[in-house]
Amino acid sequence: MARLFVRRRGGGIEVRLNAAGRAFVAAVAQRVAAAERGDDPGWGPLLASPIEPAGVEDPLVTLGRQRDVATNAELVGLTVGDDELTDAEAWAWLSTLQLALRALADENAITDDDALASSASPIVDQVHTLQLMLFALASCL
Amino acid sequence: MLSRILALADTGAGAESESATSSATTVERTWDVIVWNDPVTPMDVVVVILRRIFGYSTGRCTQLMLRVHHEGRAVVWTGRRQRAEQYCVRLQVAGLRCTIEQAT
């Protein structure tokens, strides 16, 4: 299988995604950013898990988390056409894709392998694509 | 100047303040940062995220990841509440399911 991301000798991470792969990443980053702005009712609540389930969350903590998630997603949007990523950019890609993967699983009630197997084909494809990209990115970081 | 500092150090007020601080430190509870299992996150991604955020060795991160996978959760850090919150936010921003709770 072709490697989607490759660590170069110079330290950068080469992106070997084709146009469809880059469009997929761009769409994911756009949706995560929209969710953080409150414009995506499907993913929005899923990205805002409380830190302490039994307690009241500090609004500053919530704001800081929203800002960091949005910053990562926007950085992915800015670099989605690049042939090489820095470590910080690759980390933003990994974080954003991972958030999207979890939100997608929560949205579709994928709680175990059986639930994934019985999900609609387009959802299973999206989950597997995200997992493949994450696996490839993780091997470079 | 030095004599003034030494004179201040001899007063009872300083000792009382230190005692109060020590007492406060004693009663402060520690907090656990907990990572929860989810069915879709690749195992290698959990290892990379833990390594990057905590600076643990790959072996330790792998052990923690396996504990999450087999037991459903793992305590990945324990300490003061403010730092626990900061770590929890960083883990959540990286996409892991994470909470904090008072250590038992």
Side-chain angles (χ1 to χ4, degrees):
Chain A
M1 186 194 309
R3 294 173 67 188
L4 302 177
F5 302 93
V6 176
R7 169 73 76 177
R8 284 182 171 162
R9 281 188 179 177
I13 294 168
E14 183 182 344
V15 182
R16 293 183 174 176
L17 296 177
N18 59 18
R22 289 174 191 274
F24 177 84
V25 172
V28 163
Q30 206 170 12
R31 190 162 180 199
V32 170
E36 278 306 328
R37 286 195 305 268
D39 296 339
D40 189 320
W43 281 14
L46 304 172
L47 298 183
S49 321
I51 287 176
E52 188 193 352
V56 178
E57 187 159 304
D58 180 351
L60 289 177
V61 172
T62 308
L63 278 174
R65 182 176 53 201
Q66 288 173 331
R67 184 198 57 220
D68 290 347
V69 169
T71 301
N72 281 340
E74 286 161 9
L75 186 55
V76 174
L78 290 172
T79 56
V80 76
D82 292 1
D83 292 330
E84 186 173 316
L85 303 175
T86 64
D87 260 28
E89 290 163 351
W91 176 249
W93 279 51
L94 182 119
S95 300
T96 301
L97 294 175
Q98 169 60 24
L99 267 177
L101 176 63
R102 265 205 36 234
L104 187 65
D106 286 354
E107 185 182 37
N108 292 281
I110 298 171
T111 52
D112 53 30
D113 291 342
D114 292 339
L116 176 61
S118 61
S119 297
S121 178
I123 300 300
V124 175
D125 283 349
Q126 283 185 61
V127 168
H128 285 162
T129 303
L130 284 166
Q131 288 175 327
L132 193 67
M133 287 182 178
L134 283 164
F135 189 78
L137 261 176
S139 70
C140 298
L141 288 169
Chain B
M1 185 64 180
L2 180 62
S3 61
R4 191 171 167 219
I5 292 171
L6 291 173
L8 284 172
D10 279 343
T11 64
E16 189 180 343
S17 168
E18 188 179 333
S19 168
T21 305
S22 170
S23 170
T25 304
T26 304
V27 297
E28 188 173 9
R29 300 279 298 272
T30 56
W31 288 73
D32 291 337
V33 177
I34 297 155
V35 170
W36 297 84
N37 190 37
D38 75 72
V40 288
T41 302
M43 292 179 174
D44 288 11
V45 172
V46 178
V47 172
V48 165
I49 291 172
L50 292 176
R51 201 177 62 212
R52 183 168 180 112
I53 289 179
F54 294 106
Y56 298 155
S57 68
T58 300
R60 185 171 179 192
C61 293
T62 303
Q63 281 182 337
L64 289 169
M65 176 274 293
L66 288 172
R67 191 171 299 157
V68 171
H69 183 69
H70 292 300
E71 298 175 17
R73 56 176 261 169
V75 175
V76 297
W77 189 85
T78 300
R80 297 178 72 165
R81 178 174 180 136
Q82 193 178 5
R83 282 191 69 193
E85 282 184 354
Q86 289 169 346
Y87 279 132
C88 189
V89 166
R90 292 184 67 191
L91 289 164
Q92 288 188 343
V93 169
L96 296 189
R97 191 185 303 280
C98 176
T99 56
I100 63 168
E101 65 183 34
Q102 278 196 331
T104 51

